[in-house]
Amino acid sequence: MTLALVAGLLAAVLGPVPQLPVHLLAAIPGLLLAMIDLGCLRLPDRLVGVLALAGGIPLALLAPDRIVPALTAGLLVGTAYLAIALLPGRGLGLGDVKLGAALAFLLGFAGWPAVAVGLGTAHLLNGAIATWLLVTRRARPIPFGPALLLGACLGLTAV
């Protein structure tokens, strides 16, 4: 059902563009990653790789002029997230770093506004959840993958 909602949202907002099948295909490993991260706070490297390759290769073929901005977005986000992950306090896991870099790379094909909206939304979502957990004194680890994936979906549809 969730896949149908994501597919419907992407199809309704993006319309019949050549990138639509690529995004629909990438939604499958994306939803699997969200479910796994919610269940066990893990983001399997192979599945993140499938997401990046299943989306990145076709997008690069469809828009070769966008490869440099996409790679730059992935590198910048990956570097920033790695720096955060290395800070004490275990704020981000390495799976979050890899997923964030992969999603920034994919969003980079849509442009910098998509990257900003996608990542900004993810941080706003998890910030709100963290605040709620602190206020209700239910502190526990929060998976960041689902927020990253939802943010990426919204980033694609917002531009």
Side-chain angles (χ1 to χ4, degrees), residues 11-25:
V13 174
L14 297 178
V17 296
Q19 295 86 351
L20 180 61
V22 177
H23 296 309
L24 294 176
L25 177 65

Side-chain angles (χ1 to χ4, degrees), residues 2 5 8 24 41 44 49 60 62 68 78 87 95 98 103 115 123 138 141 143-144 146 150 152 156 158-159:
T2 306
L5 289 172
L24 294 176
L41 297 174
L62 287 169
V68 171
L87 292 173
K98 295 171 207 166
L103 291 174
V115 176
H123 287 277
R138 298 180 193 174
F144 191 42
L150 180 58
L156 279 175
V159 293

Side-chain angles (χ1 to χ4, degrees), residues 40-143:
C40 61
L41 297 174
R42 297 276 183 258
L43 292 165
D45 290 344
R46 289 184 181 167
L47 200 49
V48 172
V50 166
L51 174 67
L53 291 175
I57 292 172
L59 289 174
L61 293 173
L62 287 169
D65 58 315
R66 302 291 308 156
I67 292 173
V68 171
L71 288 171
T72 303
L75 182 63
L76 287 174
V77 170
T79 302
Y81 280 11
L82 180 60
I84 294 169
L86 295 175
L87 292 173
R90 301 171 47 130
L92 282 180
L94 291 179
D96 298 322
V97 172
K98 295 171 207 166
L99 181 60
L103 291 174
F105 167 65
L106 296 176
L107 288 171
F109 284 101
W112 288 105
V115 176
V117 169
L119 296 175
T121 301
H123 287 277
L124 288 173
L125 286 171
N126 259 31
I129 292 168
T131 302
W132 173 254
L133 290 174
L134 287 172
V135 167
T136 60
R137 299 181 188 262
R138 298 180 193 174
R140 64 176 185 87
I142 306 167

